[in-house]
Amino acid sequence: MNTTGFLPGLLKLYRLCRDEKPRAVFTWLYHADLVGGLVARLAGCRTIVWNVRNTVIPWGAARWHVHVAARLCAMLSWWLPRKILCCSTRAAAAHGKIGYRRQLFQILPNGFDADRFRPDPHARRNLCRELGIPDHCFVVGRIARFDPQKDYASFLAAAARLHSLLPDSRFVLVGKGVDGENSEICADIERLGLGGVVFLLGHRDDMPALIAGLDLMVSSSIAEAFPNILGEAMAAGVPCVATDVGDSAELLGECGTIVPPGEPAALAEACLEMLRCDRGVLRDLGMRARARVSERYDLSEIARRYEMLLLDVARGGADRWT
């Protein structure tokens, strides 16, 4: 670890908490929960709220220090935080199994902006023209950073199987590190014979238009809590197929298909079944998905719930949590 900036940063945080005397300190993710929580407590703050944003990450899917931080947080959860916010019921349960104090968890799911992510009748045509995809093809999207948790290997294996059964399928991959310079992805594409049908777009800033241009969104992750990309796709009226991790199944409800993680054949079959539906059926499914997100996960409502919690903390309500 490079301590050049880390140790001065800790001292700055300590002095800030000591001088400002905040009523509460909120931290997000394992390292911030661990370090920020300890520093804030040492500085005299007794109301510390953690925020957990993922399920327990499998060994090998994250660096060693992430696992160490999670286990240390599990031990400290019995005396350090007053509350642990979490975006997923499954994530909370998974952390309870590794030792987190279950009674402290409060679930606040992610929210989605249905005004920003919305159906666009021109988006598909624009995307196909940009990439040179024939209009009659099916456009399948996978949007995620390149990370072991996202399991791009399984997605590409599923894409190869799907393309063999549905030659008109095309695959658009978007995210940090998902581009032509990624030797691992490029090697898989060549090995699986997917050249010319997979498009690596890397990082994009036009996500609402890009998502709305897809026929199907796929999440192949082996670890998630509450995937934002699924909610954004649903808000855009795009049907989804996802692995059964985190609260993906709860989010999709009856408006998508769930398959086991790490099983490319099952992922391909679910996509094939979806794409063989009449396009009108797919549109109806997408609109049902949009309605579900708008009703259950409206961003303004989730923000209101966070605001109420913050006000409760400011009034000393956190003392009632334990």
Side-chain angles (χ1 to χ4, degrees), residues 11-50:
L11 181 58
K12 184 177 180 180
L13 176 62
Y14 173 82
R15 288 173 174 168
L16 180 66
C17 291
R18 181 196 62 191
D19 297 342
E20 295 294 332
K21 296 180 173 57
R23 293 187 182 181
V25 170
F26 282 66
T27 58
W28 288 61
L29 306 179
Y30 296 139
H31 294 84
D33 291 345
L34 175 63
V35 178
L38 285 172
V39 171
R41 176 57 65 89
L42 289 173
C45 179
R46 300 193 60 80
T47 303
I48 297 165
V49 182
W50 286 354

Side-chain angles (χ1 to χ4, degrees), residues 25 53 55 57 65 68 102 116 135 139 158 180 205 215 230 252 277 293 297 309 317 319:
V25 170
R53 309 302 297 178
T55 51
I57 303 170
H65 55 79
V68 171
R102 297 174 186 266
R116 181 170 181 239
D135 288 341
V139 185
D205 293 320
D215 293 310
L230 293 180
L252 292 183
C277 294
V293 163
Y297 306 107
L309 186 144
D319 293 334

